[in-house]
Amino acid sequence: MAGGEKNDVIDVAEAGQILGVIGWSGSGKTSLLEHLVRELTAAGYKINVVKHSHHDVTIEPPQKDSSRLRMAGAQDVLLASPYRYVIAHELRQEAEPSLNELLSRLSPADLTLVEGYKWEAMPKIEVYRPSLAKPAIYTEDAHVALVASDVAAPADLRPGVQWLDLNQPQLVQDWVRAAMQNNILKKI
């Protein structure tokens, strides 16, 4: 397509790439993800997002029908409307599914952005704000390929790690697009 636009057909060579976005609570992960999703979808990419939470997740208030049916014992409840559908699967005593199991349930996409899952072996962006007084993750995680931060890169930055200004999310977006085009992200 003209002007570098992305065609609606997923190129098999690019399909199924995955990129983690990690960082401490309050670092700006969701704001960065929101920017990336908005801009990449506007450019024609199909984007999925997986968000891990350590907390219980409420999809509907407890008094609503779908919640009442889940609490009554249904394993899966599919709630559908003209705008979206949600499948709530109760784990009950089952183990939490692996990231790979969850990814297999998603529709095909050019890129799946994963917030959380720090322990997974996948290319990652760390959103790092030293002002949070939390340790950097990139120093211990060889899978961190990019750090988006509000401070300058340290002099002893590990070779191969990119360091970009978190306050210029367009730079991060450009890096993600280049990483997708150069197939340096993990395939699903």
Side-chain angles (χ1 to χ4, degrees):
M1 298 184 78
E5 294 175 7
K6 184 104 174 83
N7 190 328
D8 283 341
V9 177
I10 296 174
D11 179 357
V12 175
E14 293 182 28
Q17 295 186 71
I18 185 171
L19 176 63
V21 178
I22 62 171
W24 296 102
S25 179
S27 63
K29 296 181 305 291
T30 302
S31 295
L32 179 60
L33 280 164
E34 185 178 20
H35 173 84
L36 291 173
V37 169
R38 183 184 317 105
E39 298 301 321
L40 292 170
T41 56
Y45 290 97
K46 291 180 183 174
I47 305 296
N48 286 337
V49 176
V50 173
K51 162 105 174 81
H52 186 266
S53 177
H54 295 285
H55 309 287
D56 191 7
V57 177
T58 302
I59 296 170
E60 273 202 311
Q63 72 275 14
K64 291 296 195 175
D65 295 350
S66 64
S67 290
R68 292 174 56 198
L69 296 169
R70 280 187 308 101
M71 298 314 293
Q75 178 176 308
D76 285 347
V77 174
L78 190 148
L79 173 62
S81 78
Y83 307 100
R84 71 192 55 84
Y85 70 88
V86 175
I87 299 174
H89 176 83
E90 288 296 316
L91 294 175
R92 309 262 181 239
Q93 302 303 315
E94 299 171 40
E96 180 179 351
S98 70
L99 177 58
N100 284 336
E101 289 174 271
L102 296 172
L103 292 172
S104 71
R105 294 176 172 256
L106 297 176
S107 299
D110 296 304
L111 177 65
T112 298
L113 295 165
V114 177
E115 182 179 345
Y117 291 94
K118 292 177 191 174
W119 59 90
E120 290 288 336
M122 65 180 151
K124 298 173 192 144
I125 295 173
E126 179 182 359
V127 180
Y128 176 58
R129 291 186 190 268
S131 62
L132 294 176
K134 298 283 190 179
I137 300 167
Y138 73 91
T139 60
E140 303 295 324
D141 187 342
H143 298 287
V144 173
L146 169 69
V147 176
S149 182
D150 57 355
V151 298
D156 62 347
L157 183 64
R158 182 178 76 240
V161 176
Q162 298 290 312
W163 193 281
L164 295 175
D165 185 348
L166 178 59
N167 298 313
Q168 295 186 43
Q170 179 64 41
L171 296 175
V172 178
Q173 176 193 328
D174 292 343
W175 182 90
V176 170
R177 288 177 82 159
M180 289 173 65
Q181 291 169 354
N182 293 320
N183 292 311
I184 62 171
L185 302 181
K186 183 178 178 180
K187 302 288 185 182
I188 294 177

